[in-house]
Amino acid sequence: MNAFDKNATLSVLPDDQLLADEAQYSSFGDTVHYVEPPKIFRRCEGSYMYDTNDVPFLDLQMWYSAVNFGYSNKRLNETLKQQIDTLPQVASQYLHQTRIELAKTIAVDAQKKFGLKGRVHFNVGGAQAVEDSLKLVRNYKNGKSLMFAFEGGYHGRTLGASSITSSYRYRRRFGHFGERAMFIPFPYPFRRPKGMTPEEYSDACVRQFERLFETEYNGVWDPKVNQAEYAAFYVEPIQGTGGYVVPPRNFFKDLKKVLDKYGILMVVDEIQMGFWRTGKLWSIEHFGVTPDVIVFGKALTNGLNPLSGLWAREEMINPTIFPPGSTHSTFNSNPLGTSLGLEVIKMGYELDYEKTVPQKGAYFLEGLKDLQKRHKEIGDVDGLGLAMRAEICTDDGFTPNKALLDKMVDIGLAGDLEHNGKKIGLVLDVGGWYKNVITFAPSLDITYEEIDLAIVLLDQLLTKAKKAM
């Protein structure tokens, strides 16, 4: 049959045929195959995905925190359907109501929380919003193109975003990055130096950073003109791909004092932690500092239609300094995305996620700590809201054990765990500096019964994986 036969109808193809076609016709560069063969899912609802055999898989990572509000969320799906039937698309040089309302909602919320007027700029994906923020910063800082970022930080894989992402793996194939960020140590409490409290470790990281400005020969500061060579510091309040590392609460306050002293902007990447993942609209709210720029994406539309953006202080983004056409995308501020984003924010406040997420997170964290008591291979458990981590180690409880976690992922995606006499699977995400951390990002609407089930399945999974090693 011709691939473009006008009489062809879409039929459900078996997994083996789909995998064979994927192996022949698809680029592997736009995906990551965590297991072999890759898993194919057919439908989803709530906290679950279902495979070809209709086996349910409890998803504890929700598309890298893009589906904070559960699969097939009826309220958000209905919003999408209504928008499709009214104004599904319009060129981005024209205006429509939800674009303006969403920008106002985010800007007014930011002014209430941070005391600053600002504006919102839209794009499609998180990395594209990071790119826009780099343009915004360079423009405001008179063309300065050097940035600070954290070791363990992740901001995307476009050329600009990968230049401020600490992993060389994402840059290696694509030539020399002359404007690569300077990567600064991030306080990683579980792996802090011996003899230090987490707070002392945080202080040491800030002092090490501030030392760069001590004299002109420390490398970044000209005391004769009081000017830094670097424009901004890109931060994730909680490291995402880096393993959901939660820094001590004093860290960002102390860091911001240094940044303000030397005129360095703070750009906060909320792409993975935004929209109540930690129990706040923005995770930076937990740390008592005022950002200059906030970059967001992922859960803004619950994964239903791509939309991302940034909020920035008025003096950085007003039309005089950042005029029309400064940066642009055909699909930015698309009406399907903005209608969903507006509904997401309305829903988040109406359903009081600031209260329910910390409560569920504390309950989940207690379950993980109890699991840790039964499995010495769980070296660290930590979290904020429903962003949690479990670091998988050898039986010394500290040495990273990537092999054991890889085996856990394989078994979870095989769908051979058991619950109430039926098969069930478990979807986990792997993160961390050593790729040995389970990064938990369940649905914010996960039930307490589902949290209990998650702990039971993790116990079963760990037991099976250790026996298989």
Side-chain angles (χ1 to χ4, degrees):
M1 181 181 70
N2 188 297
F4 301 101
D5 185 345
K6 65 180 181 180
N7 296 315
T9 57
L10 183 64
S11 58
V12 177
L13 300 176
D15 285 5
D16 57 355
Q17 182 178 339
L18 289 171
L19 292 172
D21 288 346
E22 196 255 357
Q24 184 174 357
Y25 299 114
S26 296
S27 165
F28 285 14
D30 63 355
T31 186
V32 179
H33 292 154
Y34 285 112
V35 294
E36 193 59 45
K39 189 70 184 177
I40 293 175
F41 288 106
R42 300 289 183 167
R43 64 184 183 92
C44 56
E45 184 176 359
S47 292
Y48 294 89
M49 300 186 74
Y50 296 81
D51 69 6
T52 303
N53 297 317
D54 214 34
V55 173
F57 287 72
L58 179 62
D59 193 340
L60 297 182
Q61 61 100 16
M62 299 306 288
W63 201 0
Y64 317 119
S65 197
V67 191
N68 283 2
F69 312 100
Y71 292 114
S72 298
N73 183 294
K74 291 182 179 180
R75 177 169 173 175
L76 298 177
N77 282 9
E78 188 59 36
T79 297
L80 180 64
K81 293 172 186 176
Q82 289 177 1
Q83 191 65 44
I84 286 175
D85 288 336
T86 53
L87 184 68
Q89 55 230 148
V90 62
S92 55
Q93 69 261 38
Y94 305 121
L95 298 178
H96 55 93
Q97 182 170 332
T98 57
R99 176 195 193 278
I100 299 167
E101 281 194 85
L102 179 57
K104 178 181 177 181
T105 298
I106 293 172
V108 169
D109 184 88
Q111 185 171 353
K112 179 181 177 181
K113 290 171 178 173
F114 304 121
L116 295 173
K117 289 185 177 180
R119 296 172 186 256
V120 174
H121 176 101
F122 293 113
N123 209 311
V124 182
Q128 288 82 359
V130 169
E131 295 283 343
D132 286 351
S133 74
L134 287 165
K135 285 187 176 181
L136 185 78
V137 166
R138 289 174 67 153
N139 179 66
Y140 184 68
K141 286 292 187 176
N142 300 312
K144 286 185 180 178
S145 57
L146 295 178
M147 309 293 161
F148 293 112
F150 282 123
E151 295 175 0
Y154 179 88
H155 301 285
R157 301 194 198 187
T158 53
L159 286 174
S162 59
S163 74
I164 57 173
T165 292
S166 67
S167 174
Y168 174 51
R169 179 167 68 91
Y170 302 131
R171 294 186 298 275
R172 180 179 61 81
R173 298 177 180 84
F174 309 115
H176 179 62
F177 283 68
E179 294 176 342
R180 193 200 75 168
M182 180 185 292
F183 297 108
I184 305 301
F186 187 85
Y188 188 160
F190 180 60
R191 299 195 175 276
R192 67 185 184 273
K194 290 183 179 180
M196 278 189 176
T197 67
E199 291 71 26
E200 289 170 340
Y201 180 32
S202 172
D203 292 341
C205 288
V206 173
R207 287 197 305 271
Q208 183 178 346
F209 173 63
E210 188 168 19
R211 183 179 174 275
L212 294 174
F213 302 88
E214 201 168 277
T215 75
E216 64 186 275
Y217 294 102
N218 291 80
V220 304
W221 180 250
D222 183 350
K224 291 188 177 181
V225 295
N226 289 326
Q227 190 174 115
E229 188 176 14
Y230 286 71
F233 202 136
Y234 275 74
V235 310
E236 293 170 284
I238 297 172
Q239 292 201 328
T241 301
Y244 283 26
V245 180
V246 183
R249 292 300 176 98
N250 59 310
F251 176 66
F252 281 110
K253 274 188 177 180
D254 295 340
L255 178 67
K256 188 64 161 57
K257 290 176 184 176
V258 178
L259 300 182
D260 289 346
K261 182 177 179 180
Y262 295 105
I264 310 294
L265 299 170
M266 177 183 275
V267 181
V268 177
D269 183 335
E270 293 279 0
I271 293 167
Q272 190 162 166
M273 293 296 157
F275 304 104
W276 295 281
R277 170 55 56 197
T278 65
K280 300 284 187 182
L281 180 64
W282 310 124
S283 61
I284 195 64
E285 294 178 52
H286 294 279
F287 298 95
V289 297
T290 299
D292 296 292
V293 180
I294 297 173
V295 183
F296 53 85
K298 285 192 186 293
L300 174 60
T301 65
N302 206 40
L304 289 173
N305 205 72
L307 186 72
S308 65
L310 62 86
W311 167 91
R313 293 190 286 113
E314 174 71 9
E315 55 266 40
M316 295 181 65
I317 200 172
N318 70 75
T320 301
I321 190 171
F322 203 66
S326 294
T327 183
H328 180 74
S329 171
T330 299
F331 297 101
N332 69 6
S333 67
N334 65 84
L336 296 178
T338 56
S339 63
L340 284 163
L342 188 62
E343 193 66 22
V344 157
I345 295 179
K346 288 179 180 178
M347 186 177 74
Y349 281 117
E350 286 175 14
L351 299 182
D352 200 9
Y353 284 122
E354 287 201 4
K355 178 180 179 181
T356 62
V357 168
Q359 290 173 339
K360 290 179 180 180
Y363 185 81
F364 205 137
L365 201 58
E366 282 303 309
L368 291 173
K369 288 178 179 178
D370 182 65
L371 194 65
Q372 184 182 29
K373 294 174 184 177
R374 288 177 274 143
H375 294 276
K376 55 188 176 182
E377 291 82 5
I378 301 178
D380 182 52
V381 168
D382 197 9
L384 188 59
L386 281 168
M388 296 158 293
R389 71 191 314 267
E391 187 146 348
I392 305 302
C393 304
T394 61
D395 58 10
D396 67 4
F398 187 77
T399 304
N401 194 344
K402 178 180 181 296
L404 179 57
L405 182 49
D406 286 346
K407 181 60 69 175
M408 291 174 65
V409 170
D410 289 346
I411 295 172
L413 286 177
D416 286 330
L417 301 174
E418 292 186 4
H419 179 63
N420 291 336
K422 296 181 179 179
K423 287 187 175 183
I424 190 171
L426 195 61
V427 178
L428 302 176
D429 192 28
V430 174
W433 296 26
Y434 305 96
K435 303 303 179 189
N436 70 315
V437 178
I438 305 172
T439 51
F440 295 101
S443 166
L444 305 187
D445 292 326
I446 191 171
T447 66
Y448 287 94
E449 291 77 14
E450 287 171 340
I451 294 173
D452 290 339
L453 174 60
I455 299 302
V456 169
L457 294 178
L458 285 165
D459 188 15
Q460 192 179 140
L461 187 58
L462 262 167
T463 300
K464 283 193 170 189
K466 286 188 288 185
K467 288 180 179 178
M469 294 295 290

